[in-house]
Every structure is written in structure tokens, then in C-alpha cells.
Amino acid sequence: MKPENAIEVKDVTKKFKVYLDKGSQLKERLLFHERNRYEERWVLKGISFEVKKGEAIGLIGHNGCGKSTTLKLLTRIIYPDAGSIEMRGRVSSLIELGAGFHPDMSGRENIYTNAAIFGLTKKEIDARMDDIIAFSELEEFLDNPVRTYSSGMYMRLAFSVAINVDADILLIDEILAVGDTNFQAKCFNKLREIKAQGTTIVIVSHSLGQIEQICERSIWIHDGQIRAEGSPRDVHPEYLSFMGEKRQEIAEKEKERQEEKEQKKHHEEAEEKKVSPEELEKTKQDGRWGNGHARIQSVKLYAENGQEQNVFATGSLVMVKVAYELKETVKDAVFGIGVFRSDGVQCYGTNTRIDQLEEFNLTKSGTMCLSLDHVNLLPGEYWLDIAIESEVGIPVDYYRQAAKVEFYSQIGDVGIARIDHKWKLPE
Ligand SMILES: Nc1ncnc2c1ncn2[C@@H]1O[C@H](COP(=O)(O)OP(=O)(O)OP(=O)(O)O)[C@@H](O)[C@H]1O
């Protein structure tokens, strides 16, 4: 092991056995001869990385990519099928909330057993007891059995023990996601303090912002292998754009599924009412109204590079293209857009009249393009309503929820939309 390293992971592979369903009824069980049928799932397919003493690294990746498995291997809760893991120093971990706590024992008794697991003697624990209790802020509950604790209280106790055992290496799995915001902030500050004292830290988190604030390096695990590794500022944008594309694929599949479901429902309704699906379509006014002189055929969204998509990073340019078919000339046409959050809150709305564009007549079918230059909507799902009106506000085609759009961001600000801002710190 290199002298400057605290952790060396070399070509580690790990597989799990996943037992196939054997059937729960007696008859099914009797009929199944292959009782122990299982398949092997390779979760890690050869992972190598090194962590220097005093360095903090973040493990990122989509659900199920193998982050927690990597951390459990480092804690030696489980062992690799091949490869090697070497670590130097005392290891402390916060992996599963309250794992290692005995529910019937009091908080105080659990501090003793838990700290002993991390290798402390009774004398050492006694010396740290006050610090552990003070950090947990659980003085009044300390003699109650931990089964009466809330999950937040569990986490306070577990965190307080884990950071007070003078570990050389601290392994944390998504722990900062639990607890109230005050305690989260306190843990976060404590982690920085511990890091400044030279502790090596490995964090698994979906909060890229937290990783950026604590870690020098991010390791992106994908499909059981390391896909990228480097400064969080370099790796995270790459990861986010990859996840954006994935979400786009999922959104498209979901859209197809919804369309198929709608079509099936539509046919069933038509059959029930003994009319043709086309006739039913004509009479149906759900979320759509107007005199029908023009009809919106499609509303598609495009990114700056011209690619059609429905998932965007907050702050991106979104190009909206509205294709319409004309049945009759529409005089003094006005195009409008409304942006609604999925819970119905209107986030924005405008039209060509509000924007003081010259009035125009629609004389043939075509496409209207609207460029939304910096859409600062915060992460979530939104719907676009699109409308065509004619002279003095007569609705021609109002199309509710004409397109769905999703935004993502790695910044943790909250609300509906990001407001451009600048801070000026006191001199
Ligand atoms: N004991 C186990 N037996 C069988 N499969 C397991 C076991 N532990 C984990 N797995 C599987 O291994 C894969 C990786 O799990 P892991 O918990 O490491 O993912 P993760 O990256 O931490 O995910 P998340 O972001 O959801 O926490 C998953 O498909 C999971 O179902």
C-alpha cells in the first residue's frame, strides 16, 4: 500500500445471488422442484480507486449502480468475490441508519456498545460521552430505549457516535438526507471540521451540492464500473447531462404508454357509446376548446442544439414549436402559452399580443416557434398550455397540457423559479 494512501481498492468484483420466486402457496411449492433456483447478479464488475489520507471523495451514480455495495465492502460488512481492498487506520461508518443499535437498550447503553464496535475501550468511551451526548442533543431521551426514538433521533445518535470515535476513515451513506435541516447543517459543519483535522472521508450521496462542498473528488459508478472520476465540478455536469438523457428516454416511454392507454380508453368509450372513434374525438372537449378554425397538431420542444427533448437543465433555452392545421382563415391571430407546475400553479403566461407583436392573419397551415431563452424553472414537472385566439379574444384552439416538460438542476435552491441574484458580503 502506498504510504500516502488511506484506501486502495483493486479490481473489486461483487455478485449477489438473487433467488427466483418459488411461489408462496403449498401447492406451488410442492410443484416446484427447483427450490433453490437463483441467478447471479454482478453488481461490481471490476472497480479500482485510491483515496489519499485526508482526502474526501464522493461516490455518485443512479439508483442501484453499486455505491452502497462499495461502501459496505469498505466497512467489511460484506466481502468481494475478487480483487482486494486495503485500508489504513481506524474506520468509522454511518451506513445503515441505526444498524448496530439494540432497540431495547437505552440511548446511553447503545452509545457504549456502538462505540465499542468501532474499537473504543470503556475508558475511551467515558471520556467522549459528554461530547457524544451534547452533539446528539438527546440528553432528555438518553435513558429511554431507542425503539421509542424517531428516525431523526436514531440518526442523531448514530452520527454523534460515528464522529466521536476518532476515526481515520469515515464512511457515510446518504446520511445527510435524514434529520431536520438544523441538524443536517450541524452535521455538515462537523464533517468539514473532521476533514480539516485530516480524516479521510468517503460519502455516498445523491446530493451533488453536498459532495461539491466537502469532496475534492467524485467517482461516478455506472453499471458496476467507474465511468468517470475527477473534480466534482468536472464530473457532475457530465453525470447530470447523462441522467437528463436517461430521464428523457423514460419520459418518452411514459408518453408512449400514456398515449396507448388514452387510445385504448378512447376506443372503449366509442364502442360503449356506439359511435366511431373519430366522431367521439369531435365531440370531446376535455381540456380543449375553441371554434376549430385552426387546430394545434403538435407541440414539440427542442434544445439549443436542435435536439427534440422534454427534459432540460434549469436555465436552458427551450424552443417550442407549435404545428397547426388551418380549416378557415384566422384573422388577427394571437398565439399564447401558459406554463403550469404539475400541481397546477401557474408559473408564467404570455401571448403575442401582450408581447406587442404585430397582429397577423393565419391563411395556411404552418408552425409557430417560440424561443424561451433562459427557463429558470426549478426541478420538477411542468405542463405547457398552448392557445390560438382570433379577433378580440375568440378562442380558436385552446390546448390544455399540450406538452410536458421536466427540469433538473444540481443547485439546491428552492421555490418555483430561480431569480438571478448577486450577494454582497459585508466588508
Ligand atoms: N444483499 C443483496 N442481495 C441481492 N442483491 C443485492 C443485495 N444488496 C444489493 N443488491 C443489489 O445490488 C445492486 C446495487 O445495490 P446498491 O445498494 O449498491 O446500489 P446503490 O448504488 O447504493 O443504489 P441507491 O442509490 O438506490 O442507494 C442493486 O441492484 C441491488 O438490488
Side-chain angles (χ1 to χ4, degrees), residues 313-352:
T314 297
S316 309
L317 177 144
V318 178
M319 177 66 83
V320 184
K321 289 191 184 171
V322 180
Y324 56 89
E325 193 186 28
L326 204 70
K327 305 264 166 53
E328 274 179 46
T329 300
V330 177
K331 274 188 164 171
D332 299 336
V334 171
F335 276 81
I337 183 168
V339 182
F340 295 82
R341 201 166 62 181
S342 54
D343 59 0
V345 172
Q346 180 160 22
C347 307
Y348 189 66
T350 190
N351 63 35
T352 48

Side-chain angles (χ1 to χ4, degrees), residues 259-300:
E259 276 169 7
E260 267 173 34
K261 210 169 123 188
E262 271 299 308
Q263 227 171 21
K264 203 171 150 216
K265 199 171 134 207
H266 191 69
H267 272 86
E268 279 170 6
E269 266 180 56
E271 222 169 84
E272 222 173 78
K273 293 189 177 139
K274 310 250 176 286
V275 291
S276 75
E278 293 74 25
E279 262 177 276
L280 184 72
E281 181 65 46
K282 269 190 221 143
T283 56
K284 240 180 140 179
Q285 291 295 314
D286 273 2
R288 191 115 189 213
W289 60 89
N291 62 16
H293 291 177
R295 188 154 171 97
I296 296 163
Q297 297 291 314
S298 69
V299 177
K300 290 183 178 167

Side-chain angles (χ1 to χ4, degrees), residues 16-18 41 43 61-70 204 206:
F16 287 114
K17 283 180 183 169
V18 180
R41 182 177 301 157
V43 174
H62 66 74
N63 291 135
C65 71
K67 303 179 292 296
S68 302
T69 303
T70 308
V204 163
H206 287 283

